[in-house]
Amino acid sequence: MIRTITRTPTNAYPSWTASLLVAFLLIGNVPVAARDAAILSARDIFHPVFARHGMVSTQESTATRIGVDILKKGGNAVDAAVAVGFALAVTLPRAGNIGGGGFMMVHMAESGNTVAIDYREMAPAGASGDMYLDAQGNVDKQRARFSYLSTGVPGTVAGMALALERFGTMSLPEVMAPAIFLARSGITVTPQMAKALHRRQKRLSKHPATARIFLDDDGTALASGEQLVQKDLAGTLTQIAEQGPDAFYRGDIARKIAAAMAANGGLITIDDLNNYRAVVREPAHGTYRGYEIFSMPPPSSGGVHVIQLLNILEDYPIAFLGHNSADTIHLMAEAMKHAYADRSRYLGDPDYWKVPVAGLISKAYAAQLRERISLHYATPSENIKPGDPLPYESNETTHFTIMDSAGNVVSNTYTLNFSFGSGIVAAGTGILLNNEMDDFSAKPGVPNAFGLIGGEANAIEPGKRPLSSMTPTIVFKDGKAYFATGSPGGSRIITTTLQIIMNVVDHDMNIAAATAAPRIHHQWLPDKLRVEVGISNDTLDRLSAMGHDLEIGNAMGSTQTVMRIDGGFLGASDPRRVGAAAQGY
Ligand code: DON
């Protein structure tokens, strides 16, 4: 659902350098004050939620309430996060999961520690570099995205268990009880879930174990108001609660997953499940205009590139140029092209590939890249590096953010990759399986579902984790966690997260206004500047005149943001996806 637009340039526009001069001449005069007053009143349309003791922001309101309940019972942010993580596997099955993987940033206030928990899927031992190539050497997308071969060894259960054990205060049965209850007794299908199921009806109908859960007997998707009961999933969750993650990686559940794989040409064996490890990593760390940024390091590209982008943009007078002005959008888009070009060459699983993180996130490298950015003209992506991209696939991931009264923070993004992942439920488990293997580069230079290309750094190897864009992030001010955010959206996750940070830091928006503001995205290839509806036509005209190829596409991202303020917390759930909720107590 993307419209390519060609806007005819009207005439030449004064550059922002000239505008800067004019503004300096006007400083202290009425126009500046009048402009500020107007901006403030427009921003006041959007209000974050306020609460005194803690805040939970997720994409699904029942899961939000479950998180708040845990906080009220005295659990900390990590207890609440693990409860939310398991609850979303039941209430938001298109993205919440135990058959996928993700990343959790955790900040513990008392120790001052901030860590990144990597529970990304791993390639099974039987995986190989050419496993998705057909006889002609072309990538077989069906195999890479929708077959049993598309599934990486799931990491969510290991990640949640690790987080709880290291940083939580409650037991697995306590935090999993709400998810088990909802899976067993059923939930009412909401209009948005009905819509998501309807869109994927064909995919889900291909697998009897999936169809039995999500479709009616006549093969149509469950409708709004019907009950979604997930008995097998309830059984699986109960085993995990009672026996710990071993139930999933060694016990009955592992046996069922391995059996489903063996019967259907998949690769994952009991050994692969046994060998899965969630890992605690050092976060990617940077600074932006005096704020400190802690975000997800490789195997996500998110943290590295959000910091790289902020470094490039830090030297421009973004606040002065104005929010979503043509000059600001131009500079952001140009910076994005460089970051995504680097992503395709340098980023991969750090356990397999030496990622030059320090170089990529250094201020000196950003300064070098700035020299290649024209203030007035778009540099065609082909002059940065060539490629042959595909259209974007629309898809699902989900983010949640939690802060508690002690100042602990969790910022978590996890995913099945596409909406409902591969669409395959491992028989008898109720678990929807991810199709995360498509995030590897199946063939150098051939784009994945998000139009992202890669090479050797992200080639398929046994035990390796596919490169991700997920960007759970915590921003610090004066040494204290200030706000945390993140989003789904495939390749757009990095740029969406960037814009939340810039809207707060540069444009002084509250987190609700920062969330609602129209977004833009460029990923180098395809050479398109994607914009949401809501950017003015004359701004688009100016961007066209600078040489940008514009596309108005679907809304991008679904951010969940929580901010600590004096006396409490603010929360803001993205209005782009119905059903999201920020709530505190
Ligand atoms: O890890 C990644 O970057 C992708 N698998 C994320 C997919 C995604 O965000 C889809 N959601 N909207």
Side-chain angles (χ1 to χ4, degrees):
M1 205 79 58
I2 290 172
R3 185 160 66 91
T4 301
I5 51 167
T6 316
R7 304 197 58 86
T8 328
T10 40
N11 53 36
Y13 295 91
S15 69
W16 64 262
T17 31
S19 325
L20 192 56
L21 192 68
V22 174
F24 280 142
L25 296 174
L26 289 176
I27 268 180
N29 289 334
V30 179
V32 172
R35 191 199 61 173
D36 283 353
I39 291 170
L40 279 177
S41 59
R43 284 172 186 166
D44 285 348
I45 295 169
F46 302 102
H47 303 284
V49 176
F50 172 77
R52 183 85 182 82
H53 303 291
M55 180 68 67
V56 179
S57 186
T58 87
Q59 208 180 306
E60 198 284 316
S61 57
T62 306
T64 295
R65 283 200 299 277
I66 287 169
V68 173
D69 240 42
I70 295 278
L71 293 181
K72 278 187 187 164
K73 282 185 186 146
N76 69 11
V78 176
D79 297 320
V82 176
V84 166
F86 282 112
L88 285 169
V90 180
T91 62
L92 191 74
R94 66 184 194 261
N97 66 80
I98 58 170
F103 303 121
M104 183 185 284
M105 296 289 305
V106 178
H107 170 70
M108 298 305 290
E110 203 181 310
S111 64
N113 262 359
T114 306
V115 299
I117 302 176
D118 169 4
Y119 59 97
R120 181 73 162 166
E121 297 89 335
M122 290 168 80
S128 59
D130 59 359
M131 63 188 280
Y132 299 123
L133 302 187
D134 62 19
Q136 283 71 46
N138 297 320
V139 176
D140 178 342
K141 286 188 229 152
Q142 163 64 29
R143 213 189 297 163
R145 298 177 191 173
F146 305 116
S147 77
Y148 281 78
L149 287 173
S150 70
T151 303
V153 182
T156 299
V157 172
M160 294 293 148
L162 186 154
L164 192 70
E165 194 189 311
R166 294 257 180 113
F167 305 110
T169 66
M170 291 177 152
S171 67
L172 261 184
E174 276 175 291
V175 295
M176 290 183 70
I180 294 169
F181 173 78
L182 291 172
R184 180 166 298 131
S185 57
I187 52 173
T188 304
V189 174
T190 57
Q192 58 273 16
M193 186 190 287
K195 200 166 142 195
L197 288 169
H198 180 73
R199 283 187 62 201
R200 295 289 176 251
Q201 186 171 304
K202 200 165 145 221
R203 199 175 288 169
L204 301 176
S205 68
K206 291 203 177 117
H207 309 283
T210 313
R212 254 191 328 112
I213 302 167
F214 297 104
L215 307 183
D216 275 325
D217 293 342
D218 65 359
T220 56
L222 290 183
S224 175
E226 288 193 271
Q227 286 299 108
L228 169 62
V229 180
Q230 302 178 76
K231 284 246 163 7
D232 285 347
L233 184 60
T236 293
L237 291 169
T238 305
Q239 287 186 50
I240 298 169
E242 286 170 357
Q243 300 159 32
D246 273 1
F248 188 94
Y249 292 100
R250 291 167 189 275
D252 187 43
I253 307 164
R255 278 190 290 279
K256 284 183 181 152
I257 294 175
M261 286 283 156
N264 294 282
L267 291 178
I268 299 176
T269 61
I270 296 217
D271 274 353
D272 288 320
L273 288 155
N274 268 206
N275 291 335
Y276 183 85
R277 294 286 176 274
V279 193
V280 177
R281 299 189 189 273
E282 192 69 19
H285 174 249
T287 60
Y288 186 59
R289 302 192 199 283
Y291 293 81
E292 273 187 282
I293 317 289
F294 285 82
S295 190
M296 196 64 213
S300 180
S301 59
V304 164
H305 293 306
V306 125
I307 292 168
Q308 180 186 18
L309 285 164
L310 289 168
N311 284 343
I312 298 172
L313 293 164
E314 193 173 33
D315 210 45
Y316 299 116
I318 297 292
F320 165 74
L321 296 176
H323 176 251
N324 277 353
S325 68
D327 287 321
T328 297
I329 293 175
H330 167 72
L331 292 171
M332 290 167 73
E334 293 304 288
M336 288 169 188
K337 289 180 200 172
H338 285 284
Y340 280 83
D342 283 349
R343 183 189 191 280
S344 75
R345 176 164 313 158
Y346 297 118
L347 271 284
D349 181 348
D351 295 341
Y352 285 71
W353 182 260
K354 186 140 184 40
V355 183
V357 174
L360 287 167
I361 64 176
S362 79
K363 302 273 184 200
Y365 180 56
Q368 272 176 38
L369 293 179
R370 256 194 314 271
E371 292 195 353
R372 294 185 219 158
I373 294 177
S374 156
L375 301 178
H376 312 298
Y377 301 105
T379 304
S381 292
E382 62 182 7
N383 293 355
I384 299 174
K385 195 174 178 273
D388 180 27
L390 289 179
Y392 307 90
E393 155 95 6
S394 97
N395 25 61
E396 283 295 344
T397 293
T398 194
H399 181 85
F400 54 86
T401 305
I402 302 176
M403 288 197 191
D404 67 23
S405 55
N408 303 315
V409 184
V410 170
S411 180
N412 184 95
T413 318
Y414 73 157
T415 188
L416 291 167
N417 199 21
F418 290 7
S419 187
F420 304 100
S422 61
I424 301 169
V425 166
T429 66
I431 301 172
L432 270 166
L433 296 172
N434 70 79
N435 57 348
E436 219 75 61
M437 293 289 284
D438 188 61
D439 277 351
F440 277 119
S441 176
K443 185 178 175 180
V446 175
N448 74 359
F450 304 102
L452 293 166
I453 66 166
E456 217 187 319
N458 190 31
I460 306 170
E461 290 177 65
K464 191 172 173 184
R465 298 174 204 249
L467 182 60
S468 172
S469 300
M470 294 189 282
T471 316
T473 299
I474 308 176
V475 178
F476 287 68
K477 187 170 142 186
D478 304 326
K480 276 198 171 156
Y482 179 38
F483 69 95
T485 191
S487 178
S491 53
R492 281 96 61 198
I493 294 173
I494 303 169
T495 51
T496 296
T497 306
L498 172 81
Q499 285 165 87
I500 295 288
I501 299 171
M502 292 178 72
N503 288 349
V504 171
V505 173
D506 289 297
H507 304 300
D508 198 23
M509 294 182 186
N510 73 49
I511 53 171
T515 301
R519 295 180 184 142
I520 64 119
H521 171 75
H522 202 303
Q523 63 180 56
W524 173 54
L525 296 175
D527 191 355
K528 301 270 183 204
L529 174 52
R530 186 158 161 187
V531 297
E532 287 185 334
V533 170
I535 309 243
S536 73
N537 279 353
D538 35 11
T539 303
L540 298 182
D541 279 346
R542 282 209 55 203
L543 287 163
S544 274
M546 289 169 161
H548 291 281
D549 192 354
L550 299 168
E551 252 182 11
I552 299 186
N554 288 341
M556 295 184 267
S558 171
T559 59
Q560 308 298 332
T561 310
V562 177
M563 178 181 266
R564 184 184 49 81
I565 58 167
D566 284 344
F569 300 89
L570 300 176
S573 262
D574 206 320
R576 286 169 181 76
R577 296 198 195 181
V578 187
Q583 197 187 319
Y585 77 106

